[in-house]
Coordinates of all heavy atoms in Angstrom, one line a residue:
A1 N 84.7 86.9 164.3 CA 85.2 88.2 164.1 C 86.1 88.1 162.9 O 86.2 89.1 162.0 CB 85.9 88.8 165.3
L2 N 87.0 87.1 162.9 CA 88.0 87.0 161.8 C 87.4 86.7 160.5 O 87.7 87.3 159.4 CB 89.0 85.8 162.1 CG 90.1 85.7 161.0 CD1 90.9 87.0 161.0 CD2 91.0 84.5 161.5
A3 N 86.3 86.0 160.5 CA 85.5 85.7 159.3 C 84.9 87.0 158.7 O 84.9 87.3 157.5 CB 84.4 84.6 159.5
Q4 N 84.4 87.9 159.5 CA 83.8 89.1 159.1 C 84.9 90.0 158.5 O 84.6 90.7 157.5 CB 83.1 89.8 160.3 CG 81.9 89.2 160.8 CD 81.3 89.8 161.9 OE1 81.8 90.7 162.6 NE2 80.0 89.4 162.3
V5 N 86.0 90.0 159.1 CA 87.2 90.8 158.5 C 87.4 90.4 157.2 O 87.6 91.1 156.2 CB 88.4 90.8 159.4 CG1 89.6 91.5 158.7 CG2 88.1 91.4 160.7
I6 N 87.6 89.0 157.0 CA 87.9 88.4 155.6 C 86.8 88.8 154.7 O 87.0 89.2 153.6 CB 88.1 86.9 155.7 CG1 89.3 86.6 156.6 CG2 88.1 86.3 154.4 CD1 89.6 85.2 156.9
F7 N 85.5 88.7 155.2 CA 84.4 89.0 154.2 C 84.5 90.4 153.8 O 84.3 90.7 152.5 CB 83.1 88.7 155.0 CG 81.8 89.2 154.2 CD1 81.4 88.5 153.1 CD2 81.3 90.4 154.5 CE1 80.3 88.8 152.4 CE2 80.2 90.9 153.9 CZ 79.7 90.1 152.8
W8 N 84.7 91.4 154.7 CA 84.8 92.8 154.4 C 85.9 93.1 153.4 O 85.8 94.0 152.5 CB 84.6 93.6 155.5 CG 83.2 93.7 156.0 CD1 82.8 93.1 157.2 CD2 82.0 94.0 155.4 NE1 81.4 93.2 157.4 CE2 80.9 93.8 156.2 CE3 81.8 94.7 154.2 CZ2 79.6 94.1 155.9 CZ3 80.4 95.0 153.8 CH2 79.4 94.7 154.7
I9 N 87.1 92.4 153.6 CA 88.2 92.7 152.8 C 87.8 92.3 151.3 O 88.0 93.0 150.3 CB 89.5 92.0 153.2 CG1 90.0 92.7 154.5 CG2 90.5 91.9 152.1 CD1 91.1 91.8 155.1
C10 N 87.1 91.1 151.2 CA 86.7 90.5 149.9 C 85.8 91.6 149.2 O 85.8 91.9 148.0 CB 86.1 89.3 150.0 SG 87.2 87.9 150.5
V11 N 84.8 92.0 150.0 CA 83.8 92.9 149.4 C 84.4 94.2 148.9 O 84.2 94.7 147.7 CB 82.6 93.2 150.4 CG1 81.8 94.4 150.0 CG2 81.9 92.0 150.6
V12 N 85.3 94.8 149.7 CA 85.9 96.1 149.4 C 86.7 95.9 148.2 O 86.7 96.8 147.3 CB 86.7 96.6 150.5 CG1 87.6 97.7 150.1 CG2 85.8 97.1 151.7
V13 N 87.6 94.9 148.1 CA 88.4 94.7 146.9 C 87.6 94.5 145.6 O 87.9 95.0 144.5 CB 89.5 93.6 147.1 CG1 90.1 93.2 145.8 CG2 90.4 93.9 148.2
W14 N 86.5 93.7 145.8 CA 85.6 93.4 144.6 C 85.0 94.7 144.1 O 84.9 94.9 143.0 CB 84.7 92.3 145.0 CG 83.9 91.8 143.9 CD1 84.4 91.0 142.8 CD2 82.6 91.8 143.7 NE1 83.4 90.6 142.0 CE2 82.3 91.2 142.5 CE3 81.4 92.3 144.4 CZ2 81.0 90.9 142.0 CZ3 80.2 92.2 143.9 CH2 79.9 91.5 142.7
V15 N 84.5 95.5 145.1 CA 83.7 96.7 144.7 C 84.7 97.7 144.1 O 84.3 98.4 143.2 CB 83.0 97.3 145.9 CG1 82.5 98.7 145.6 CG2 81.8 96.3 146.3
I16 N 85.9 97.8 144.5 CA 86.9 98.7 144.0 C 87.1 98.4 142.5 O 87.3 99.4 141.7 CB 88.2 98.7 144.9 CG1 88.0 99.4 146.2 CG2 89.3 99.4 144.0 CD1 89.1 99.3 147.1
N17 N 87.1 97.2 142.1 CA 87.3 96.8 140.8 C 86.0 96.7 139.9 O 86.1 96.1 138.8 CB 88.0 95.4 140.7 CG 89.4 95.6 141.2 OD1 90.2 96.2 140.6 ND2 89.7 94.9 142.3
Y18 N 85.0 97.4 140.3 CA 83.7 97.3 139.5 C 83.9 97.7 138.1 O 83.2 97.3 137.2 CB 82.6 98.2 140.2 CG 82.7 99.6 140.0 CD1 82.1 100.2 138.9 CD2 83.5 100.4 140.8 CE1 82.2 101.5 138.7 CE2 83.6 101.8 140.7 CZ 82.9 102.4 139.5 OH 83.1 103.7 139.3
H19 N 84.7 98.7 137.8 CA 84.8 99.2 136.4 C 85.5 98.2 135.5 O 85.4 98.3 134.3 CB 85.7 100.5 136.5 CG 87.1 100.3 136.9 ND1 87.4 100.3 138.3 CD2 88.3 100.1 136.3 CE1 88.7 100.1 138.5 NE2 89.3 99.9 137.3
N20 N 86.0 97.1 136.0 CA 86.4 96.0 135.1 C 85.5 95.0 134.8 O 85.7 94.3 133.8 CB 87.7 95.3 135.9 CG 88.9 96.2 136.1 OD1 89.3 96.8 135.1 ND2 89.4 96.2 137.3
Y21 N 84.3 94.9 135.4 CA 83.3 94.0 135.0 C 81.9 94.6 134.8 O 81.0 93.8 134.6 CB 83.3 92.8 136.0 CG 83.1 93.2 137.4 CD1 81.8 93.4 137.9 CD2 84.2 93.4 138.3 CE1 81.6 93.9 139.2 CE2 83.9 93.8 139.6 CZ 82.6 94.0 140.2 OH 82.5 94.4 141.4
L22 N 81.7 95.8 135.2 CA 80.4 96.5 135.0 C 80.6 97.6 134.0 O 81.4 98.5 134.2 CB 80.0 96.9 136.3 CG 78.7 97.5 136.6 CD1 77.6 96.4 136.3 CD2 78.4 98.0 138.0
F23 N 79.8 97.6 133.0 CA 79.8 98.6 131.8 C 78.5 99.2 131.7 O 77.5 98.5 131.8 CB 80.4 97.9 130.5 CG 81.6 97.1 130.8 CD1 81.5 95.6 130.9 CD2 82.8 97.7 130.8 CE1 82.6 94.9 131.1 CE2 84.0 96.9 131.0 CZ 83.9 95.5 131.2
W24 N 78.6 100.5 131.3 CA 77.3 101.3 130.9 C 77.7 102.4 130.0 O 78.9 102.8 129.9 CB 76.6 101.7 132.1 CG 77.4 102.7 132.9 CD1 77.5 104.0 132.7 CD2 78.3 102.4 133.9 NE1 78.3 104.6 133.7 CE2 78.8 103.6 134.5 CE3 78.7 101.2 134.8 CZ2 79.6 103.6 135.5 CZ3 79.5 101.3 135.8 CH2 80.0 102.6 136.2
K25 N 76.7 102.9 129.4 CA 76.8 104.2 128.6 C 76.1 105.3 129.3 O 75.0 105.1 129.9 CB 76.3 104.0 127.3 CG 77.0 103.0 126.3 CD 76.4 102.9 125.0 CE 77.2 101.9 124.2 NZ 76.6 101.6 122.9
N26 N 76.6 106.5 129.2 CA 75.9 107.7 129.9 C 74.9 108.3 129.0 O 74.8 108.1 127.8 CB 77.0 108.7 130.2 CG 77.9 108.2 131.3 OD1 77.7 107.3 132.0 ND2 79.1 108.9 131.3
Y27 N 74.0 109.0 129.6 CA 73.0 109.7 128.8 C 73.7 110.8 128.0 O 74.8 111.3 128.5 CB 72.0 110.5 129.8 CG 70.9 109.5 130.3 CD1 70.8 109.3 131.7 CD2 70.0 108.9 129.4 CE1 69.8 108.5 132.2 CE2 69.1 108.0 130.0 CZ 69.0 107.9 131.4 OH 67.9 107.1 131.9
P28 N 73.3 111.1 126.9 CA 74.1 112.0 126.0 C 74.3 113.4 126.7 O 73.3 114.0 127.2 CB 73.2 112.2 124.8 CG 72.4 111.1 124.7 CD 72.2 110.6 126.1
G29 N 75.6 113.8 126.8 CA 75.9 115.1 127.3 C 76.0 115.2 128.8 O 76.1 116.2 129.4
T30 N 75.8 113.9 129.6 CA 75.8 114.0 131.0 C 76.7 112.9 131.5 O 77.3 112.1 130.7 CB 74.4 113.7 131.6 OG1 74.1 112.4 131.2 CG2 73.4 114.8 131.2
I31 N 77.0 112.9 132.8 CA 77.7 111.8 133.4 C 76.9 110.8 134.1 O 77.3 109.8 134.7 CB 78.8 112.4 134.4 CG1 78.1 113.1 135.6 CG2 79.8 113.2 133.7 CD1 79.1 113.4 136.7
I32 N 75.6 110.9 133.9 CA 74.6 110.1 134.5 C 74.5 108.7 133.7 O 74.2 108.8 132.5 CB 73.3 110.7 134.7 CG1 73.3 111.9 135.5 CG2 72.2 109.7 135.2 CD1 72.1 112.8 135.5
P33 N 74.7 107.6 134.3 CA 74.6 106.3 133.5 C 73.1 106.1 133.1 O 72.2 106.3 133.8 CB 75.2 105.3 134.4 CG 75.0 105.8 135.7 CD 75.0 107.3 135.7
D34 N 73.0 105.5 131.9 CA 71.7 105.1 131.4 C 71.5 103.6 131.9 O 72.2 102.7 131.5 CB 71.8 105.1 129.8 CG 70.4 104.7 129.3 OD1 69.4 104.4 130.0 OD2 70.3 104.6 128.0
P35 N 70.5 103.3 132.8 CA 70.4 102.0 133.4 C 70.0 101.0 132.3 O 70.2 99.8 132.5 CB 69.1 102.3 134.3 CG 68.9 103.7 134.5 CD 69.6 104.3 133.3
T36 N 69.5 101.4 131.1 CA 69.1 100.3 130.1 C 70.3 99.8 129.4 O 70.2 98.8 128.7 CB 68.1 101.0 129.1 OG1 68.8 102.0 128.4 CG2 66.9 101.4 129.8
T37 N 71.5 100.4 129.6 CA 72.8 100.0 128.9 C 73.7 99.3 129.8 O 74.8 98.9 129.4 CB 73.4 101.2 128.2 OG1 73.8 102.1 129.2 CG2 72.5 101.9 127.3
I38 N 73.3 99.0 131.1 CA 74.3 98.4 132.0 C 74.4 96.9 131.5 O 73.5 96.2 131.4 CB 73.8 98.4 133.4 CG1 73.7 99.9 133.9 CG2 74.5 97.6 134.4 CD1 73.1 100.2 135.2
T39 N 75.6 96.5 131.5 CA 76.0 95.1 131.2 C 77.0 94.6 132.3 O 77.9 95.4 132.7 CB 76.6 94.8 129.8 OG1 77.7 95.7 129.6 CG2 75.5 95.3 128.7
I40 N 77.0 93.4 132.6 CA 77.9 92.7 133.5 C 78.6 91.5 132.8 O 77.9 90.8 132.4 CB 77.2 92.3 134.8 CG1 76.4 93.4 135.5 CG2 78.1 91.5 135.7 CD1 75.5 93.1 136.6
S41 N 79.9 91.6 132.9 CA 80.7 90.5 132.5 C 80.8 89.5 133.7 O 81.7 89.7 134.6 CB 82.1 90.9 132.0 OG 82.9 89.8 131.8
V42 N 80.1 88.3 133.6 CA 80.1 87.4 134.8 C 81.5 86.8 135.0 O 82.0 86.7 136.1 CB 79.0 86.4 134.6 CG1 79.1 85.3 135.6 CG2 77.7 87.0 134.5
S43 N 82.1 86.5 133.9 CA 83.4 85.8 133.9 C 84.4 86.7 134.7 O 85.2 86.3 135.4 CB 83.9 85.3 132.6 OG 84.2 86.4 131.7
K44 N 84.4 88.0 134.3 CA 85.3 89.0 134.8 C 85.0 89.3 136.4 O 85.8 89.5 137.1 CB 85.3 90.3 134.1 CG 86.0 90.2 132.7 CD 86.2 91.5 132.1 CE 86.8 91.5 130.7 NZ 86.9 92.7 130.1
A45 N 83.7 89.3 136.7 CA 83.2 89.5 138.0 C 83.7 88.4 138.9 O 84.2 88.6 140.0 CB 81.8 89.7 138.0
I46 N 83.6 87.1 138.5 CA 84.1 86.0 139.2 C 85.5 86.1 139.4 O 86.1 85.7 140.4 CB 83.6 84.7 138.5 CG1 82.1 84.5 138.7 CG2 84.3 83.4 139.1 CD1 81.5 83.3 137.9
Y47 N 86.3 86.4 138.2 CA 87.8 86.6 138.3 C 88.1 87.5 139.5 O 89.0 87.2 140.2 CB 88.2 87.0 137.0 CG 89.7 87.3 137.0 CD1 90.7 86.3 136.9 CD2 90.1 88.6 136.9 CE1 92.0 86.6 136.9 CE2 91.5 89.0 136.9 CZ 92.4 87.9 136.9 OH 93.7 88.2 136.9
Y48 N 87.5 88.6 139.5 CA 87.9 89.6 140.5 C 87.4 89.2 141.9 O 88.1 89.6 142.9 CB 87.3 91.0 140.2 CG 88.3 91.7 139.1 CD1 87.8 91.7 137.8 CD2 89.4 92.2 139.4 CE1 88.7 92.2 136.8 CE2 90.3 92.7 138.5 CZ 89.8 92.7 137.1 OH 90.7 93.3 136.2
L49 N 86.4 88.4 141.9 CA 86.0 87.8 143.2 C 87.1 86.8 143.7 O 87.3 86.9 144.9 CB 84.7 87.1 143.2 CG 84.0 86.6 144.4 CD1 83.8 87.7 145.5 CD2 82.8 85.8 144.2
K50 N 87.6 86.0 142.9 CA 88.6 85.1 143.3 C 89.9 85.9 143.7 O 90.5 85.5 144.7 CB 89.0 84.2 142.1 CG 88.0 83.2 141.8 CD 88.4 82.4 140.6 CE 87.4 81.4 140.2 NZ 87.8 80.6 138.9
I51 N 90.3 87.0 143.1 CA 91.3 87.7 143.5 C 91.1 88.3 144.8 O 92.0 88.4 145.7 CB 91.6 88.9 142.4 CG1 92.2 88.4 141.1 CG2 92.5 89.9 143.0 CD1 92.4 89.3 140.0
A52 N 89.9 88.8 145.1 CA 89.5 89.4 146.4 C 89.7 88.4 147.5 O 90.3 88.6 148.6 CB 88.1 90.0 146.4
V53 N 89.3 87.1 147.2 CA 89.4 86.1 148.2 C 90.8 85.8 148.5 O 91.2 85.5 149.6 CB 88.6 84.8 147.9 CG1 88.9 83.7 148.8 CG2 87.1 85.1 147.9
A54 N 91.6 85.7 147.4 CA 93.0 85.4 147.6 C 93.8 86.4 148.4 O 94.5 86.1 149.2 CB 93.7 85.2 146.2
L55 N 93.4 87.7 148.1 CA 94.1 88.7 148.8 C 93.6 88.8 150.3 O 94.6 88.9 151.2 CB 93.7 90.1 148.2 CG 94.3 90.5 147.0 CD1 93.8 91.7 146.3 CD2 95.8 90.6 147.1
A56 N 92.5 88.5 150.6 CA 91.9 88.3 152.1 C 92.7 87.2 152.7 O 93.1 87.4 153.9 CB 90.5 88.1 152.0
V57 N 92.8 86.0 152.0 CA 93.5 84.9 152.8 C 94.9 85.2 152.9 O 95.6 84.9 153.9 CB 93.2 83.6 151.9 CG1 94.2 82.5 152.5 CG2 91.7 83.2 152.0
A58 N 95.6 85.9 151.9 CA 97.0 86.2 152.0 C 97.2 87.3 153.1 O 98.2 87.2 153.8 CB 97.5 86.7 150.7
A59 N 96.3 88.2 153.3 CA 96.5 89.3 154.3 C 96.3 88.7 155.7 O 96.9 89.1 156.6 CB 95.4 90.4 154.1
I60 N 95.4 87.8 155.9 CA 95.1 87.2 157.1 C 95.4 85.5 157.0 O 94.3 84.9 156.9 CB 93.8 87.5 157.7 CG1 93.6 89.0 157.7 CG2 93.6 87.0 159.0 CD1 92.2 89.4 158.0
P61 N 96.5 85.0 157.0 CA 96.6 83.5 156.8 C 96.0 82.7 157.9 O 95.8 81.5 157.7 CB 98.2 83.4 156.8 CG 98.9 84.6 157.4 CD 97.8 85.7 157.2
E62 N 95.7 83.2 159.0 CA 95.0 82.5 160.0 C 93.6 82.1 159.6 O 93.0 81.3 160.1 CB 95.0 83.3 161.4 CG 96.3 83.6 162.0 CD 97.0 84.9 161.6 OE1 96.2 85.6 160.8 OE2 98.2 85.0 161.7
G63 N 93.1 82.9 158.6 CA 91.7 82.6 158.2 C 91.6 81.5 157.1 O 90.5 81.0 156.9
L64 N 92.7 81.0 156.6 CA 92.7 79.9 155.7 C 92.1 78.6 156.2 O 91.2 78.1 155.6 CB 94.1 79.7 155.1 CG 94.3 78.6 154.1 CD1 93.4 78.9 152.8 CD2 95.7 78.3 153.7
P65 N 92.4 78.1 157.5 CA 91.8 77.0 158.0 C 90.3 77.1 158.1 O 89.5 76.3 157.9 CB 92.5 76.7 159.3 CG 93.8 77.4 159.2 CD 93.5 78.5 158.3
A66 N 89.9 78.4 158.4 CA 88.4 78.6 158.5 C 87.7 78.6 157.2 O 86.6 78.0 157.1 CB 88.2 80.1 159.2
V67 N 88.4 79.1 156.2 CA 87.8 79.0 154.9 C 87.7 77.6 154.4 O 86.7 77.2 153.8 CB 88.5 79.9 153.9 CG1 88.2 79.7 152.5 CG2 88.5 81.4 154.3
I68 N 88.7 76.8 154.5 CA 88.8 75.5 154.0 C 87.7 74.7 154.8 O 87.0 73.9 154.2 CB 90.2 74.9 154.2 CG1 91.1 75.5 153.3 CG2 90.2 73.4 154.0 CD1 92.6 75.2 153.4
T69 N 87.7 74.8 156.2 CA 86.7 74.1 157.0 C 85.2 74.4 156.4 O 84.5 73.5 156.4 CB 86.9 74.4 158.4 OG1 88.2 74.1 158.8 CG2 85.9 73.6 159.3
T70 N 85.0 75.6 156.2 CA 83.6 76.1 155.8 C 83.3 75.4 154.4 O 82.3 74.9 154.2 CB 83.6 77.6 155.6 OG1 83.8 78.2 157.0 CG2 82.2 77.9 155.2
C71 N 84.3 75.5 153.4 CA 84.2 74.9 152.1 C 83.8 73.3 152.3 O 83.0 72.9 151.6 CB 85.3 75.1 151.3 SG 85.5 76.9 150.8
L72 N 84.6 72.7 153.1 CA 84.5 71.2 153.2 C 83.1 70.9 153.9 O 82.5 69.9 153.5 CB 85.6 70.6 154.0 CG 87.0 70.6 153.3 CD1 88.0 70.1 154.2 CD2 86.9 69.7 152.0
A73 N 82.7 71.7 154.8 CA 81.4 71.5 155.5 C 80.3 71.6 154.5 O 79.3 70.8 154.6 CB 81.3 72.4 156.7
L74 N 80.3 72.7 153.7 CA 79.2 72.9 152.8 C 79.2 71.8 151.7 O 78.1 71.3 151.3 CB 79.5 74.3 152.1 CG 79.3 75.5 152.9 CD1 79.7 76.8 152.2 CD2 77.9 75.6 153.5
G75 N 80.4 71.3 151.3 CA 80.5 70.2 150.3 C 79.8 68.9 150.9 O 79.2 68.2 150.2
T76 N 80.2 68.6 152.2 CA 79.7 67.5 152.9 C 78.2 67.6 153.0 O 77.5 66.5 152.9 CB 80.4 67.3 154.2 OG1 81.8 67.3 154.1 CG2 79.9 66.1 154.9
R77 N 77.7 68.7 153.4 CA 76.3 69.0 153.5 C 75.5 68.6 152.2 O 74.4 67.9 152.2 CB 76.0 70.4 153.9 CG 74.4 70.5 154.1 CD 74.0 72.0 154.3 NE 74.5 72.4 155.6 CZ 74.5 73.7 156.0 NH1 74.0 74.6 155.3 NH2 74.9 74.0 157.3
S78 N 76.1 69.1 151.1 CA 75.3 68.8 149.8 C 75.5 67.4 149.4 O 74.6 66.8 148.8 CB 75.9 69.7 148.7 OG 77.2 69.3 148.4
M79 N 76.6 66.7 149.8 CA 76.6 65.3 149.5 C 75.7 64.5 150.4 O 75.2 63.5 150.0 CB 78.1 64.8 149.8 CG 79.1 65.4 148.7 SD 80.8 64.9 149.2 CE 80.8 63.1 149.3
A80 N 75.4 64.9 151.7 CA 74.6 64.2 152.6 C 73.2 64.4 152.0 O 72.4 63.4 152.2 CB 74.7 64.8 154.0
K81 N 72.8 65.5 151.4 CA 71.5 65.6 150.9 C 71.3 64.6 149.8 O 70.1 64.2 149.5 CB 71.3 67.0 150.4 CG 71.0 68.1 151.4 CD 70.8 69.4 150.8 CE 70.7 70.5 152.0 NZ 70.5 71.8 151.4
Q82 N 72.3 64.2 149.0 CA 72.2 63.3 147.9 C 72.5 61.9 148.3 O 72.6 60.9 147.5 CB 73.2 63.7 146.8 CG 72.8 65.0 146.3 CD 73.9 65.5 145.3 OE1 74.7 64.8 144.9 NE2 73.7 66.7 144.8
N83 N 72.6 61.7 149.7 CA 72.9 60.3 150.3 C 74.2 59.8 149.7 O 74.3 58.6 149.4 CB 71.8 59.3 150.1 CG 70.6 59.8 150.9 OD1 70.6 60.3 152.0 ND2 69.5 59.5 150.3
A84 N 75.2 60.6 149.5 CA 76.5 60.2 149.0 C 77.6 60.1 150.0 O 78.7 59.6 149.7 CB 76.9 61.2 148.0
V85 N 77.3 60.3 151.3 CA 78.3 60.2 152.4 C 78.3 58.7 152.8 O 77.3 58.2 153.0 CB 78.0 61.1 153.5 CG1 79.0 60.8 154.6 CG2 78.0 62.5 153.2
V86 N 79.5 58.1 152.8 CA 79.6 56.7 153.1 C 80.5 56.6 154.4 O 81.5 57.2 154.6 CB 80.4 55.9 151.9 CG1 80.6 54.4 152.3 CG2 79.7 56.1 150.6
R87 N 79.9 55.6 155.3 CA 80.6 55.5 156.5 C 81.7 54.4 156.5 O 82.6 54.5 157.3 CB 79.6 55.1 157.7 CG 78.6 56.2 157.9 CD 77.5 55.8 158.9 NE 76.5 56.8 159.0 CZ 76.3 57.7 159.9 NH1 77.2 57.8 160.8 NH2 75.3 58.5 159.8
K88 N 81.5 53.4 155.7 CA 82.5 52.4 155.6 C 83.0 52.2 154.2 O 82.3 52.1 153.2 CB 81.9 51.1 156.1 CG 81.4 51.0 157.4 CD 80.8 49.6 157.9 CE 80.4 49.7 159.3 NZ 79.8 48.4 159.7
L89 N 84.3 52.2 154.1 CA 84.9 52.3 152.7 C 84.8 51.0 152.0 O 84.5 51.1 150.7 CB 86.4 52.6 152.9 CG 87.2 52.8 151.5 CD1 86.5 53.9 150.8 CD2 88.7 52.9 151.8
P90 N 84.7 49.9 152.6 CA 84.5 48.5 151.8 C 83.1 48.6 151.0 O 83.1 48.0 150.0 CB 84.5 47.4 152.9 CG 85.3 48.0 153.9 CD 85.1 49.4 153.9
S91 N 82.1 49.3 151.5 CA 81.0 49.3 150.8 C 81.1 50.1 149.5 O 80.2 50.0 148.6 CB 79.9 50.0 151.6 OG 80.2 51.3 151.9
V92 N 82.1 51.0 149.3 CA 82.3 51.7 148.1 C 83.2 50.9 147.0 O 83.0 51.0 145.9 CB 83.0 53.0 148.4 CG1 83.4 53.8 147.1 CG2 82.3 53.8 149.4
E93 N 84.0 50.0 147.5 CA 84.9 49.4 146.6 C 84.1 48.3 145.8 O 83.1 47.8 146.2 CB 85.9 48.5 147.5 CG 86.9 49.5 148.1 CD 87.9 48.7 149.0 OE1 87.7 47.5 149.1 OE2 88.7 49.4 149.6
T94 N 84.5 48.1 144.6 CA 83.8 47.2 143.7 C 84.7 45.9 143.3 O 85.9 45.9 143.6 CB 83.5 47.8 142.4 OG1 84.7 48.3 141.8 CG2 82.5 48.9 142.6

C-alpha cells in the first residue's frame, strides 16, 4: 500500500511538470497541438522524475527503506545474471 502511494505521488508530480520537458507547436489559429511537432527533452524529463521521487520519499520517509531495498534487490538480480555475485571474499582478492 505504501509503495503504491509513493508511486502515485511520483506520477502526479511528474505529470504536473510536463510543460517543462514536453514541447509542441499548435496548428495555426487553434489551440490544438500538431502531433508532428512534439519533442521531448529526455534530460529534463529524467530531472523532473528525480524530483518527483525525492518529493515522494520526503513526504513519506517510511518509504525510504522500501525504495533502497528494492533498488539493491534489482541490482543484485542483474549481477546474478552476469555471475558476478561472490559468496566468499577471499576468492575476489588478488
Side-chain angles (χ1 to χ4, degrees):
L2 184 59
Q4 290 178 347
V5 172
I6 292 172
F7 172 77
W8 287 112
I9 289 172
C10 291
V11 169
V12 168
V13 170
W14 192 63
V15 168
I16 286 173
N17 287 296
Y18 76 92
H19 62 278
N20 292 314
Y21 55 85
L22 191 62
F23 308 100
W24 64 83
K25 294 180 181 176
N26 294 337
Y27 284 118
T30 67
I31 60 169
I32 301 171
D34 181 3
T36 60
T37 63
I38 295 175
T39 58
I40 298 173
S41 173
V42 176
S43 62
K44 288 184 179 181
I46 291 172
Y47 173 77
Y48 283 100
L49 183 63
K50 288 178 184 178
I51 289 176
V53 170
L55 287 174
V57 170
I60 307 171
E62 296 86 14
L64 183 59
V67 171
I68 291 173
T69 302
T70 303
C71 291
L72 290 174
L74 293 173
T76 304
R77 180 188 294 174
S78 67
M79 288 174 60
K81 285 181 183 178
Q82 299 174 4
N83 294 325
V85 179
V86 179
R87 294 178 193 256
K88 296 182 181 180
L89 188 58
S91 63
V92 177
E93 294 176 356
T94 57

